[in-house]
């Protein structure tokens, strides 16, 4: 058995994958750190303090509350003989729930293990509950005995967006590794639940409310919970993008940054869903065309880039998968990516040629193009609703509603710019920030509006000296 300060040789292979998953488990300031070695790396002797699995508990609570509220609402639809609403509500309950069970089983590799109780709980759609209990048991048992297995993770500390000191290495114990796996699994399920379940559920219930012209308390509760779930899923995507981009740094996201991201994501998603629902109430069949166009564009965009690069499929996405299985997994990932981008900016960009399937160098031009096109599309949807709306809205101030939706989406973009300019944890590492981009845009506009100036007369003496120097160098070379 290995001592506390030794590490398994195989753990070195998992160094890169553990850097991301244990991001939240590393303490801010080490209690006992040694002197830098010959490579300039400081080894932190003690284990990092294990943080409670709050994200696991929160994702489980959201899953259970949304499942219960949707089931209650479906039973109410059954009582009132609303077969269509009941069927769609049940569909948007079961589809993300089944995908959540498959994701948790896939991440924890339970199919090759003898765990009948856990698999039975997954069949009952209660997998997140048993996984949450497992994470809590691991947390409360951690630190009671010496860890026989540790791995090493290396980070550079950031404070106020600047690198401080030498790189530091932390020992990650077996309990921390297991909690990191749970956190990573629930991050995936939170995104799946948000954009494959909560988003269509929110759209459906808002559409049903407008069509039936009254608000049920259970329906309103489900809509609020769905909006919270979607916002949390988008928040996970944003934080994941930061961790992937700055994987070698110990990044700490402040409370103000979280608040800015919540306002940005909440306003963006609420405005997008409202625009789609209002448009669907006026032009029901056209909204299907809009949704399919968005889905197909974002689904095939990573594949077109993949084929344009003439790349090959990444190997070892999962050891037990064949090429067909790899293609199926990539299609499911691309479908999730497309569903996210229909309603909000995904923050992460797919690269099917990479082993991690994600682009580590984000393209800011894509961000600008996305929000520009999305703003134009939302305005077009709202204006189309304004001209083709039904008589139901005669008691609603339609122009004011149009202005409010446009302003809310503008506020979402504003909070996004504020986040990248002032609240991003690694903003000091940006080559160009929001202010630089705006200044360049203003300068470009001024250059094209001013009268072109006459270029200065060339200095013939300087040019003659340069020419003579070139001739001498050619003669020496000869």
């Amino acid at each position: 058995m290995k001592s506390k300060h030794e590490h398994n040789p195989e753990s070195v292979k998992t160094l890169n994958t553990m850097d991301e998953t244990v991001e939240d488990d590393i303490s801010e300031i080490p209690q006992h750190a040694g002197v830098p070695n010959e490579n300039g790396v400081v080894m932190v002797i003690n284990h990092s303090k294990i943080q409670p699995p709050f994200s696991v508990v929160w994702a489980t609570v959201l899953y259970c509350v949304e499942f219960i509220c949707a089931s209650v609402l479906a039973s109410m639809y059954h009582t009132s003989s609303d077969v269509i609403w009941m069927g769609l509500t049940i569909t948007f309950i079961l589809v993300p729930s089944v995908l959540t069970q498959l994701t948790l089983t896939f991440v924890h590799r339970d199919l090759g293990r003898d765990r009948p109780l856990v698999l039975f709980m997954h069949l009952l759609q209660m997998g997140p509950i048993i996984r949450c209990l497992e994470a809590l048991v691991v947390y409360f048992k951690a630190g009671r005995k010496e860890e026989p297995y540790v791995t090493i993770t290396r980070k550079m500390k950031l404070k106020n967006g600047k690198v401080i000191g030498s790189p530091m290495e932390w020992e990650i114990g077996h309990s921390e590794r297991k909690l990191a796996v749970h956190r990573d699994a629930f991050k995936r399920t939170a995104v799946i639940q948000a954009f494959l379940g909560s988003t269509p559920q929110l759209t459906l219930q808002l559409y049903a409310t407008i069509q039936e012209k009254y608000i049920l308390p259970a329906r309103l509760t489900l809509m609020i919970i769905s909006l919270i779930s979607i916002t949390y899923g988008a928040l996970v995507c944003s934080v994941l993008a930061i961790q992937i981009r700055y994987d070698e740094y110990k990044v700490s996201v402040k409370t103000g940054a979280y608040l800015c991201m919540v306002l940005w994501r909440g306003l963006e998603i609420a405005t997008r869903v409202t625009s789609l629902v209002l448009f669907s109430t006026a032009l029901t069949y056209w909204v299907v065309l809009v949704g399919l166009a968005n889905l197909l564009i974002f689904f095939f965009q990573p594949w077109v880039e993949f084929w344009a690069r003439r790349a090959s499929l990444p190997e070892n996405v999962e050891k037990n998968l064949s090429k067909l299985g790899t293609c199926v997994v990539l299609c499911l990932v691309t479908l999730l990516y497309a569903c996210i981008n229909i309603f909000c900016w995904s923050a992460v960009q797919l690269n099917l040629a990479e082993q991690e399937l994600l682009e580590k160098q984000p393209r800011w031009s894509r961000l600008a193009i996305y929000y520009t096109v999305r703003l134009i599309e939302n305005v077009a949807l709202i204006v189309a609703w304004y001209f083709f709306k039904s008589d139901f809205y005669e008691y609603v101030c339609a122009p004011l509603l149009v202005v409010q939706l446009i302003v809310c989406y503008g506020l979402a973009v504003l909070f996004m710019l504020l986040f990248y300019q002032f609240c991003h944890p690694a903003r000091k590492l940006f080559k160009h920030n929001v202010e630089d981009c705006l200044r360049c845009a203003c300068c470009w506009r001024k250059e094209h509006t001013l009268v072109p100036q006459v270029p200065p007369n060339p200095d013939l003496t300087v040019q003659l000296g340069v020419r003579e120097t070139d001739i001498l160098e050619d003669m020496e070379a000869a």
Side-chain angles (χ1 to χ4, degrees):
M1 181 176 293
K2 297 181 182 297
S3 63
K4 180 178 180 181
H5 302 298
E6 295 177 352
H7 65 274
N8 193 310
E10 296 180 356
S11 66
V12 179
K13 300 179 181 179
T14 62
L15 176 61
N16 295 331
T17 57
M18 285 301 301
D19 282 348
E20 178 181 335
T21 55
V22 301
E23 179 70 28
D24 298 329
D25 299 331
I26 302 175
S27 57
E28 280 296 315
I29 302 176
Q31 300 296 328
H32 304 285
V35 295
N37 56 19
E38 62 274 6
N39 297 324
V41 178
V42 177
M43 179 64 190
V44 180
I45 301 301
N46 67 323
H47 281 215
S48 57
K49 183 180 179 181
I50 299 180
Q51 301 296 327
F54 291 123
S55 60
V56 175
V57 176
W58 176 247
T60 305
V61 170
L62 281 179
Y63 172 82
C64 294
V65 173
E66 188 172 2
F67 193 98
I68 293 172
C69 289
S71 302
V72 171
L73 186 59
S75 66
M76 295 176 64
Y77 286 145
H78 177 71
T79 304
S80 59
S81 300
D82 293 327
V83 181
I84 297 178
W85 302 140
M86 181 190 69
L88 291 174
T89 302
I90 293 176
T91 301
F92 296 144
I93 295 174
L94 293 181
V95 171
S97 178
V98 171
L99 292 176
T100 296
Q101 314 307 318
L102 293 176
T103 302
L104 291 174
T105 306
F106 180 80
V107 172
H108 290 276
R109 305 175 186 272
D110 287 325
L111 295 179
R113 302 163 64 186
D114 186 14
R115 307 188 70 187
L117 176 61
V118 174
L119 294 178
F120 180 70
M121 294 291 286
H122 279 292
L123 290 176
L124 297 178
Q125 307 302 307
M126 298 176 64
I129 299 177
I130 191 68
R131 298 297 185 186
C132 181
L133 293 177
E134 285 182 353
L136 291 175
V137 170
V138 172
Y139 170 71
F140 287 114
K141 283 186 176 181
R144 294 187 179 181
K145 60 181 180 179
E146 187 176 2
E147 295 282 0
Y149 179 96
V150 298
T151 188
I152 304 296
T153 183
R154 179 182 296 179
K155 295 284 183 180
M156 290 184 288
K157 185 172 177 56
L158 284 179
K159 186 174 182 181
N160 296 326
K162 295 181 179 180
V163 181
I164 296 179
S166 303
M168 295 185 179
E169 290 183 347
W170 279 267
E171 291 182 351
I172 305 300
H174 190 53
S175 299
E176 293 172 276
R177 285 176 55 86
K178 294 173 68 175
L179 284 178
V181 172
H182 281 287
R183 287 190 176 95
D184 183 58
F186 274 87
K187 286 177 182 178
R188 301 183 188 186
T189 59
V191 176
I192 292 174
Q193 178 68 27
F195 294 100
L196 296 182
S198 301
T199 305
Q201 192 74 266
L202 175 61
T203 306
L204 170 67
Q205 303 308 328
L206 182 58
Y207 180 81
T209 301
I210 295 176
Q211 291 296 97
E212 296 185 353
K213 302 177 177 60
Y214 64 89
I215 299 177
L216 290 173
R219 185 187 289 157
L220 179 61
T221 304
L222 179 58
M223 291 167 57
I224 295 173
I225 295 172
S226 298
L227 181 59
I228 294 174
S229 176
I230 303 167
T231 305
Y232 177 69
L235 195 66
V236 170
C237 290
S238 299
V239 176
L240 178 62
I242 296 173
Q243 292 177 351
I244 292 173
R245 174 64 181 86
Y246 302 97
D247 183 58
E248 66 273 19
Y249 299 101
K250 173 64 182 77
V251 179
S252 177
V253 184
K254 302 282 182 69
T255 305
Y258 278 117
L259 179 60
C260 196
M261 282 193 290
V262 167
L263 292 174
W264 158 29
R265 292 303 197 174
L267 288 172
E268 179 184 7
I269 294 165
T271 307
R272 176 63 175 169
V273 171
T274 305
S275 302
L276 287 173
V277 171
L278 289 178
F279 180 77
S280 64
T281 58
L283 301 168
T284 305
Y285 299 105
W286 283 94
V287 74
V288 178
L289 180 61
V290 173
L292 283 177
N294 277 269
L295 182 64
L296 294 176
I297 289 173
F298 288 113
F299 180 84
F300 285 107
Q301 173 250 323
W303 288 102
V304 170
E305 293 181 352
F306 174 78
W307 291 323
R309 295 170 182 171
R310 297 181 180 179
S312 58
L313 290 176
E315 298 179 357
N316 297 327
V317 173
E318 177 59 32
K319 294 181 180 179
N320 298 325
L321 290 180
S322 61
K323 286 188 176 181
L324 178 60
T326 302
C327 290
V328 172
V329 171
L330 293 180
C331 288
L332 292 176
V333 171
T334 312
L335 177 62
L336 178 60
Y337 173 78
C339 292
I340 295 173
N341 281 282
I342 290 176
F343 294 93
C344 68
W345 172 246
S346 62
V348 293
Q349 299 170 13
L350 284 185
N351 185 357
L352 300 180
E354 292 291 334
Q355 183 68 29
E356 294 82 6
L357 304 180
L358 297 175
E359 190 76 47
K360 287 194 173 184
Q361 296 292 338
R363 303 177 188 176
W364 297 104
S365 58
R366 285 190 178 181
L367 180 67
I369 293 173
Y370 177 86
Y371 277 100
T372 302
V373 174
R374 184 64 74 218
L375 177 61
I376 295 173
E377 183 185 1
N378 285 346
V379 171
L381 294 176
I382 298 169
V383 171
W385 164 80
Y386 177 77
F387 285 106
F388 294 97
K389 64 182 183 298
S390 61
D391 296 336
F392 169 68
Y393 299 99
E394 62 181 358
Y395 299 106
V396 178
C397 185
L400 180 61
L401 182 57
V402 171
V403 173
Q404 286 176 341
L405 291 174
I406 296 175
V407 169
C408 286
Y409 197 81
L411 288 175
V413 176
L414 177 62
F415 281 116
M416 178 198 66
L417 297 177
L418 291 176
F419 169 75
Y420 282 110
Q421 177 66 31
F422 300 106
C423 301
H424 196 284
R427 61 189 182 278
K428 295 294 181 61
L429 300 179
F430 291 170
K431 293 182 179 179
H432 303 286
N433 55 20
V434 177
E435 183 182 359
D436 296 333
C437 295
L438 294 177
R439 187 183 295 115
C440 290
C442 294
C443 293
W444 182 86
R445 190 174 302 172
K446 289 181 179 179
E447 289 177 359
H448 285 73
T449 54
L450 293 177
V451 178
Q453 298 179 357
V454 179
N457 295 326
D459 192 345
L460 298 179
T461 59
V462 174
Q463 293 186 1
L464 182 60
V466 173
R467 179 60 181 165
E468 291 177 351
T469 303
D470 295 338
I471 293 174
L472 290 175
E473 290 178 354
D474 294 339
M475 293 176 64
E476 291 176 359

